Amino acid sequence: MTEHTNRDTNTPSTGDTQGVLAAAKDLLAGMSQYGHVEAAKQPVLVAAVLLALNNPGFTPHKLQQGNHDTEGNTTSLGENVYQAAQQCLTSAGLPETSISTIMGQFVFLKNDTRINQVHPALGEPVISWVCRTAREHLYEHMTGEHAGPVVDVLGYLYRESAATSGGDGQALGIVLTPPHITTLMAELIGIGPGDTVLDPTCGTGSFLLAAEQTANHRTPGEKKTGPVVCGVEIQEKLFTLATTTMVLRHGTSRIVLGSFLDDSTLLGFTPEAGSAGVGVSPRLFSKMPLNPPYGLAKNKTTRHLSELAFIERSLSLLEPGGRLAAIVPQSTVVGKTKDDAERKRRILQQHTLETVITVNGNAFMESGYSPRTVIAVFSAGRPHPEGKQVGFVNFETDGWVVSRHTGLMDDGTVTDRRARLLNVLNGEEEAGTDFLVRSVVTPVDEWHHAYFYFNDTPPSEADFLSTVADYVSWQVGMFAHGNGHLITPADKESGEQEGTE
């Protein structure tokens, strides 16, 4: 039986979170309206400003005074932000290669006249307005001293700007994980203060924030030392956003730029320092939340990029008994391709499949996608026992519903439904097979609830009468619309006779 030790349901609070996200949305609108900033650059601009604000020698009001170089030339306001952000990253002790990559994302600030000149409607330069707004509404919320709910603000900005521009996320397989899923997955693998957590495809860092929040909820009243959180990200823009968030929260970052599937990316990596080391054991981590890129294994040359390839690689870096929760398309756990069937076999030879949870089909709707997904939970380094009963859960009805004007919203049952899920998985509450099926699995099985589910409840007389009524209504409708011939069996003998006349 899988043990899910965290009993606290860490669904995001609606308190100051909504105010912060509203301010972030206003920033996006203002950058578009006043500065005509490209949607793809908007979250990067805010990241640069936040890093500048984290530099003690930088304050927004100084922007309007201008700076002068040794020859008396006035530098642009964007140049001031650029330099302050660079100083912040240098003070954080990041590798020069990481700083260079991030500053490459920020370079447009220096010469973009539309954000550096005074805008009549604002009475100040757009970048000055962004600095002031970010300082008043975002900065304090994103630092490590903030005691309220943790929110991936830069992830929100990235998602909203990508939705506006059409974005390249789908082509790259990028589907940012919503916060109610990141916290659920952190709970499912029981992330605590003593853990070393790696998100192998960390995006903007939302899983790492959820890991910290979950660990803090598990130690109420104690000193919040938190887990050690590390990440790998291949996209430079996302790497910039995730690193910014970690620097704001911790004064440094353990995010690595590169492909997680490339052995050289983590070569010599030490979670304690987030940098090179010598002779480090490959099994560095105790917990991993994973949302790999979707749909990249399209042909023979890209088969190594399948979601199961990311799962197998992730499990290989966990210490024995370490826990992995991966959210992937349902097609992943079906594993119909020859390569993925072989990966499923190897995974069960070396690791244990604990639980597979079918997720609400609308979970990712705010990212503009609707993948049908499951969360698969594994224990690493321990071969799957013969005869083990794996839990398959139908959690499609999780309390999150789509509102026409506000997107996903809590219908008032989210907390209770999540508590029930954890209780059932812990064996503290009973559930019918419509919710939980326990079954022995093999590599060739389809690892999801629908494959194993059977309705073992005999139909009542009312069920029978309702089914008959539905059938009769369907028949009447077909005849009423002139389609009765489609459901009336042909009389073979009559047909033959009519054909001979």
Side-chain angles (χ1 to χ4, degrees):
M1 181 180 297
T2 305
E3 182 183 1
H4 303 272
T5 55
N6 183 30
R7 311 305 305 133
D8 208 340
T9 53
N10 301 320
T11 51
S13 168
T14 59
D16 57 348
T17 297
Q18 294 305 315
V20 170
L21 296 183
K25 193 168 187 177
D26 288 343
L27 266 178
L28 290 176
M31 286 186 287
S32 296
Q33 179 180 350
Y34 303 124
H36 302 286
V37 180
E38 297 174 27
K41 293 180 177 179
Q42 291 170 2
V44 175
L45 171 55
V46 175
V49 164
L50 289 168
L51 289 173
L53 292 171
N54 205 49
N55 185 338
F58 176 86
T59 54
H61 75 271
K62 290 184 178 180
L63 282 174
Q64 303 200 41
Q65 299 172 7
N67 285 342
H68 301 274
D69 60 21
T70 56
E71 298 179 359
N73 299 317
T74 302
T75 60
S76 70
L77 307 182
E79 175 75 27
N80 295 342
V81 172
Y82 179 92
Q83 292 176 358
Q86 186 173 35
Q87 291 168 4
C88 176
L89 294 173
T90 301
S91 299
L94 300 188
E96 286 298 324
T97 53
S98 296
I99 295 176
S100 177
T101 296
I102 295 171
M103 298 317 297
Q105 293 286 309
F106 294 161
V107 71
F108 73 94
L109 274 69
K110 298 191 287 186
N111 301 314
D112 190 329
T113 57
R114 291 173 298 187
I115 65 174
N116 282 292
Q117 294 179 348
V118 175
H119 192 283
L122 296 173
E124 61 182 326
V126 172
I127 195 167
S128 178
W129 172 78
V130 173
C131 284
R132 182 166 49 81
T133 303
R135 180 191 61 179
E136 294 175 358
H137 299 288
L138 301 184
Y139 176 72
E140 289 187 3
H141 183 90
M142 297 180 65
T143 64
E145 288 74 28
H146 178 69
V150 179
V151 182
D152 181 14
V153 176
L154 292 177
Y156 173 83
L157 291 171
Y158 175 86
R159 186 188 70 207
E160 292 297 309
S161 62
T164 300
S165 64
D168 57 0
Q170 191 167 17
L172 296 172
I174 299 171
V175 184
L176 295 186
T177 317
H180 69 279
I181 296 294
T182 60
T183 54
L184 172 61
M185 289 170 62
E187 291 170 1
L188 288 170
I189 56 178
I191 294 177
D195 283 317
T196 301
V197 180
L198 174 70
D199 182 350
T201 55
C202 74
T204 59
S206 58
F207 271 121
L208 303 182
L209 294 177
E212 294 179 340
Q213 177 172 313
T214 300
N216 288 342
H217 274 260
R218 294 184 65 188
T219 55
E222 298 180 18
K223 185 178 180 180
K224 308 302 185 184
T225 54
V228 176
V229 293
C230 315
V232 178
E233 178 51 49
I234 193 171
Q235 297 297 327
E236 292 185 355
K237 183 191 301 182
L238 296 176
F239 170 75
T240 296
L241 301 180
T243 301
T244 297
T245 296
M246 291 298 108
V247 168
L248 291 175
R249 290 190 58 77
H250 303 295
T252 188
S253 171
R254 298 181 180 90
I255 310 296
V256 178
L257 178 65
S259 169
F260 174 66
L261 297 180
D262 186 344
D263 289 339
S264 65
T265 298
L266 287 175
L267 185 63
F269 178 82
T270 59
E272 293 76 14
S275 59
V278 179
V280 179
S281 167
R283 294 187 178 274
L284 302 172
F285 308 99
S286 59
K287 303 289 172 63
M288 284 196 197
L290 171 66
N291 180 10
Y294 294 173
L296 297 186
K298 301 180 185 298
N299 51 50
K300 290 183 179 179
T301 61
T302 56
R303 286 175 181 170
H304 66 290
L305 299 176
S306 76
E307 296 88 355
L308 275 172
F310 279 87
I311 290 176
E312 185 177 22
R313 166 70 170 163
S314 299
L315 287 167
S316 73
L317 290 180
L318 282 166
E319 63 188 22
R323 303 294 297 281
L324 167 73
I327 183 165
V328 292
Q330 286 185 1
S331 58
T332 299
V333 293
V334 170
K336 289 299 186 182
T337 70
K338 181 178 179 180
D339 286 353
D340 275 353
E342 176 61 18
R343 287 191 180 96
K344 289 173 70 175
R345 185 190 65 79
R346 290 199 302 264
I347 287 171
L348 291 189
Q349 277 187 339
Q350 302 176 52
H351 313 286
T352 300
L353 176 63
E354 302 284 2
T355 308
V356 180
I357 302 167
T358 304
V359 178
N360 187 333
N362 292 315
F364 290 93
M365 61 88 59
E366 292 186 349
S367 291
Y369 312 112
S370 299
R372 305 290 294 184
T373 54
V374 299
I375 298 172
V377 180
F378 296 87
S379 293
R382 294 171 179 169
H384 191 89
E386 184 177 352
K388 175 181 172 58
Q389 297 279 322
V390 178
F392 295 92
V393 182
N394 180 3
F395 198 52
E396 293 178 286
T397 306
D398 59 359
W400 291 97
V401 295
V402 178
S403 171
R404 182 174 181 181
H405 300 292
T406 60
L408 277 184
M409 62 177 296
D410 182 352
D411 69 359
T413 66
V414 164
T415 299
D416 290 342
R417 289 181 184 277
R418 183 178 293 200
R420 183 194 181 217
L421 170 66
L422 297 176
N423 286 338
V424 168
L425 291 176
N426 276 321
E428 299 170 7
E429 187 174 335
E430 296 295 327
T433 57
D434 58 329
F435 185 79
L436 171 69
V437 177
R438 294 195 182 275
S439 181
V440 175
V441 300
T442 69
V444 298
D445 290 331
E446 299 179 9
W447 296 345
H448 63 94
H449 180 269
Y451 179 80
F452 295 97
Y453 170 67
F454 60 96
N455 188 345
D456 54 0
T457 304
S460 65
E461 183 178 356
D463 293 329
F464 172 75
L465 294 176
S466 176
T467 301
V468 171
D470 290 342
Y471 177 70
V472 171
S473 296
W474 172 73
Q475 279 191 317
V476 171
M478 291 293 285
F479 280 104
H481 290 87
N483 295 319
H485 64 285
L486 297 177
I487 62 172
T488 302
D491 187 329
K492 184 175 180 180
E493 292 184 0
S494 297
E496 290 174 350
Q497 292 174 354
E498 290 174 359
T500 58
E501 289 180 355

